[in-house]
């Protein structure tokens, strides 16, 4: 069969990083890897490419079109599905990806034929065996089909680890970036997280316990990656000291020299100081650290394992081992003006090279959604708004306008005074720095608009 796998373009209405920062669509590459031996598979990445969807559809003439999705993509996927059926109503349409996992019912509609909640070698091969024969699809674990009234077998599961087919995105790869690193590949070496922070979807998607891929297989993937930089997307790549030492040993033995960036927890940084030195020598350039807050009770409320003092120690260690810190913080809707001020002081004390600030987001269907239900501005099906970039929970101590003013002030302070321009220019070059500055400016203008709107 001819199968077209599509990542939709981000809709203008959604405010996300996607416009200026996107990486390879790993999920679609996994699906391509599962199907390529028996089928002709093509990835159409509308975020990276400038292709016209209808023209591509007509020229490739697929029997199946599969869309990947995040929360902000629901409308976009439905629109493209409608277009697909208008062009040829016999094309079978699949929806998969993060949002199909978290809320498959978002895609229960007339245009979409099968929603793949979770992906395994077994369920995808079964599904395609029926599609190829043109037979009715029976109930298959993890898949909701329109012909079965979107019923499921009721057996829960999570996505299987699949080695992605990176060749399937060959034509787009030079566009893929991770912050200033471009071109940059994504790599997953382990999934799940045992920390269970209550605002976080990641352990809910991947499982509540770390599950490692064998390091020999990981190294084999790295050897096939052409890009000089690799973002390791594991939730906490630094969680296991022995594994990290072995990772370094394997890199050294194979003389691999790449730039690595990874997510890391505060506790792992503190516990594995020595190993961090070795990782730094082996190319670990930056750690993304979720410091989240400046208040002990908030960290506790988020079920974060770290402490404020721990945050400060982790920041010092990263400086000592010469690994940049890309910090992330949650803007809590219960902050008042004094809190914002304290927060700015705390960021200054931690002095990360780069900081990103995200308003606390309580996605429908999560624990936080129930906690903040009465204060949420958007309807669950107002998908464009669930972007993790805008204030979605009514502030309790400030008016929305005043809250946005503080968000704006804090963003300006962080971007203009604290984020380290010399680090960025030195690491990424002036052109990339200016591109990133343009992106931040766009975000600031959006916040000004939201503030004025109140
Ligand atoms: C790496 C990452 C990023 C990177 C790179 C993303 C990229 N490729 O461009 C960056 C930093 C750029 C990023 C940005 C954003 N991200 Co992000 N990101 C992730 C992260 C950590 C991993 C995603 C990943 O690649 N996983 C590995 C792949 C293999 O998994 P997968 O895509 O789910 O694919 C599997 C299945 O779903 C299936 N599948 C996928 N597609 C399809 C399609 C079909 C047809 C089928 C059958 C199957 C299938 O195949 C795979 C089998 O294992 C996740 C957290 C997580 N652990 O999921 C958040 C996450 C997905 N991001 C999230 C968000 C919100 C964003 C932003 C919108 C944030 C913002 N405010 O701007 C932006 C969007 C920008 C963009 N590029 O789209 C949310 C999504 C929430 C939701 N309900 O959708 C998550 C869950 C994090 C969170 N906040 O909780 N992100
Ligand atoms: S440590 Fe990170 S990935 Fe793990 S639950 Fe907390 S926020 Fe999520």
């Amino acid at each position: 069969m001819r199968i077209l796998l599509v990542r939709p373009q981000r809709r203008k209405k959604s405010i996300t990083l996607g416009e200026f920062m996107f990486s390879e669509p790993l999920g679609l590459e996994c699906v391509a890897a599962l199907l390529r031996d028996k089928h002709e598979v093509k990835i159409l990445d509308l975020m990276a490419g400038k292709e016209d969807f209808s023209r591509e559809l007509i020229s490739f003439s697929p029997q199946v079109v599969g869309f990947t999705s995040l929360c902000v993509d629901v409308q976009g996927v439905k629109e493209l599905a409608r277009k697909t059926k208008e062009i040829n109503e016999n094309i079978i349409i699949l929806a998969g990806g993060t949002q199909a996992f978290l809320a498959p019912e978002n895609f229960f509609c007339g245009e979409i034929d099968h929603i793949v909640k979770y992906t395994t070698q077994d369920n995808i091969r079964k599904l395609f065996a029926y599609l190829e024969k043109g037979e009715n699809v029976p109930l298959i674990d993890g898949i909701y089909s329109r012909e079965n009234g979107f019923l499921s077998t009721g057996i829960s599961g999570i996505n299987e680890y699949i080695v992605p087919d990176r060749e399937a995105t060959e034509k787009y790869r030079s566009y893929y970036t991770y912050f200033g690193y471009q071109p940059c590949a994504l790599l997953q070496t382990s999934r799940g997280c045992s920390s269970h922070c209550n605002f976080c979807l990641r352990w809910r998607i991947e499982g509540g316990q770390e599950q490692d891929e064998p390091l020999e297989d990981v190294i084999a993937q790295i050897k096939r990656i052409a890009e000089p930089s690799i973002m390791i997307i594991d939730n906490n790549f630094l969680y296991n000291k022995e594994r990290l030492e072995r990772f370094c040993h394997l890199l050294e033995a194979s003389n691999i020299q790449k730039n690595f960036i990874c997510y890391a927890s505060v506790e792992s940084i503190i516990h594995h100081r020595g190993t961090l030195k070795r990782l730094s020598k082996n190319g670990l350039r930056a750690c993304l650290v979720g410091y989240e807050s400046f208040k002990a009770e908030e960290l506790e409320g988020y079920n974060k394992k770290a402490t404020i003092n721990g945050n400060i120690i982790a920041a010092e260690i990263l400086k000592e081992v010469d690994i940049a810190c890309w910090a992330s913080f949650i803007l809590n809707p219960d902050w008042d003006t004094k809190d914002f001020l304290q927060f700015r002081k705390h960021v200054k004390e931690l002095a990360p090279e780069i900081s990103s600030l995200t308003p606390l987001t309580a996605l429908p269907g999560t624990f936080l959604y129930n906690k903040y239900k009465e204060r949420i501005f958007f309807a669950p099906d107002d998908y464009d708004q669930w972007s993790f970039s805008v204030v979605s929970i009514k502030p309790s101590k400030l008016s929305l306008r005043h809250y946005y003013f503080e968000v704006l002030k804090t963003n300006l302070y962080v971007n203009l005074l604290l984020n380290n321009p010399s680090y960025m220019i030195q690491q990424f070059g002036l052109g990339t720095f200016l591109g990133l500055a343009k992106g931040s400016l766009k975000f600031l203008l959006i916040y000004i608009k939201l503030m004025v709107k109140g």
Side-chain angles (χ1 to χ4, degrees), residues 91-117:
I91 296 177
I92 299 159
I93 299 188
L94 316 182
T98 305
Q99 190 64 8
F101 176 82
L102 292 170
E105 63 283 0
N106 290 175
F107 299 101
F108 293 176
C109 63
E111 295 83 19
I112 297 176
D113 300 294
H114 307 277
I115 294 101
V116 182
K117 177 177 165 67

Side-chain angles (χ1 to χ4, degrees), residues 12-58:
K12 291 261 176 307
K13 281 186 194 161
S14 283
I15 301 159
T16 70
L17 297 171
E19 215 180 308
F20 63 99
M21 182 163 143
F22 53 82
S23 319
E24 59 190 303
L26 264 192
L28 290 184
E29 293 171 357
C30 295
V31 182
L34 287 184
L35 297 171
R36 74 185 154 200
D37 57 341
K38 282 186 128 194
H39 305 277
E40 191 184 342
V41 188
K42 183 172 174 180
I43 290 185
L44 178 62
D45 185 354
L46 295 174
M47 237 177 201
K50 301 267 175 284
E51 298 96 334
D52 177 78
F53 176 72
S54 306
R55 210 172 296 151
E56 282 292 312
L57 200 66
I58 293 164

Side-chain angles (χ1 to χ4, degrees), residues 233-259:
I233 63 166
D234 306 6
N235 297 313
N236 177 16
F237 179 58
L238 303 189
Y239 91 100
N240 179 336
K241 183 172 157 48
E242 286 68 41
R243 188 167 187 263
L244 291 174
E245 290 287 350
R246 194 160 154 63
F247 179 69
C248 288
H249 167 76
L250 291 172
L251 289 179
E252 287 157 9
S254 303
N255 196 22
I256 294 173
Q257 278 156 5
K258 300 261 186 203
N259 299 313

Side-chain angles (χ1 to χ4, degrees), residues 193 195-197 199-200 202-203 235 292 304:
C193 182
S195 285
H196 302 190
C197 305
F199 58 84
C200 177
R202 297 169 59 162
W203 61 273
N235 297 313
E292 321 302 2
K304 259 313 245 207

